[in-house]
Amino acid sequence: MLFRYIIIIALLGLSLNVNADFQSAGDAYKRGDYETAAKEFLPLAENGDHRAMYALGSMYSVGRGVKQDFQEAFKWFQRAARYGRPDAEYKLGIMYAQGFGVEQDYRHALSWWGKSAKKGYPLAQNKIGQMYLEGKGVPQSNVKAYAWSAMAYEQGVEDAKLIVNVAKNNMTADELKEAEDMTLQLKSEYVK
């Protein structure tokens, strides 16, 4: 019995150290000491901390504290996405849509944005609207573009307003009614 308590205490101590280490890396990042932050995030990410994985992916994608490397960014975002992080899934969608670190592939971009959007991530929801408006990776649909982007706009994504307006200006009254109904349905499912 005593052995179990010792293990529990040791595990709790390890958990506190991981949070303290993450906090230290985050503090370095906030100070603008990106090289130190990257060095501190790396062992955490290698040991399974999805927050550190996402941080490293972000740092590699823009070259902050490390040399810009889209393939390395993709690797870390992909690892973080395995933990179900909608922000990492969104970034993978961006990388596929732009061809950063991977071959450009709108269907893969849409797949990652779909995972993120269904978890309530409004930036991904807007990207789906944009894909439908432009017909990239999906058949063009003003109704779907309106619905996905209207939902994102209502959650504070200002860029979504342009997509909503363009789609609205290219719909009949019946299509607009369909789009508004679809928006309500999507909101009931995907707004957290």
Side-chain angles (χ1 to χ4, degrees):
M1 193 68 151
L2 179 63
F3 182 69
R4 282 187 186 172
Y5 290 121
I6 292 171
I7 290 176
I8 291 171
I9 291 170
L11 289 174
L12 286 174
L14 178 62
S15 176
L16 294 175
N17 283 342
V18 168
N19 283 331
D21 291 342
F22 184 83
Q23 183 66 43
S24 173
D27 289 344
Y29 188 91
K30 289 176 190 171
R31 285 193 312 271
D33 187 357
Y34 303 122
E35 288 180 23
T36 297
K39 288 176 187 171
E40 291 184 13
F41 281 136
L42 183 60
L44 296 171
E46 288 173 339
N47 286 315
D49 188 320
H50 62 86
R51 301 167 304 170
M53 292 172 190
Y54 180 80
L56 282 173
S58 296
M59 295 174 81
Y60 275 107
S61 70
V62 295
R64 187 167 279 163
V66 292
K67 183 179 180 213
Q68 186 177 42
D69 183 335
F70 291 125
Q71 290 176 336
E72 195 70 12
F74 183 86
K75 174 184 89 174
W76 289 114
F77 286 139
Q78 194 170 46
R79 288 182 181 179
R82 288 186 194 134
Y83 288 87
R85 289 187 63 115
D87 50 358
E89 293 165 342
Y90 169 75
K91 293 284 180 88
L92 287 169
I94 295 286
M95 296 190 82
Y96 271 113
Q98 299 299 319
F100 293 149
V102 293
E103 187 174 327
Q104 185 179 45
D105 186 327
Y106 293 125
R107 290 195 184 276
H108 275 92
L110 188 64
S111 174
W112 282 111
W113 286 330
K115 290 176 185 184
S116 179
K118 289 176 181 176
K119 292 176 183 157
Y121 201 72
L123 292 173
Q125 294 165 350
N126 187 50
K127 284 296 186 185
I128 292 172
Q130 182 180 353
M131 297 288 277
Y132 276 112
L133 185 70
E134 297 172 358
K136 290 184 176 175
V138 292
Q140 196 282 334
S141 171
N142 289 319
V143 170
K144 290 179 181 179
Y146 178 100
W148 281 100
S149 289
M151 177 174 48
Y153 180 70
E154 289 179 19
Q155 294 176 83
V157 179
E158 291 295 321
D159 293 344
K161 184 69 172 169
L162 177 62
I163 295 168
V164 169
N165 287 337
V166 170
K168 184 177 182 178
N169 290 335
N170 289 296
M171 285 192 282
T172 65
D174 287 343
E175 289 172 326
L176 181 57
K177 172 72 171 114
E178 180 185 354
E180 290 169 345
D181 290 346
M182 185 181 287
T183 303
L184 292 174
Q185 177 192 351
L186 291 173
K187 283 171 46 178
S188 73
E189 293 179 47
Y190 305 129
V191 173
K192 304 296 179 206

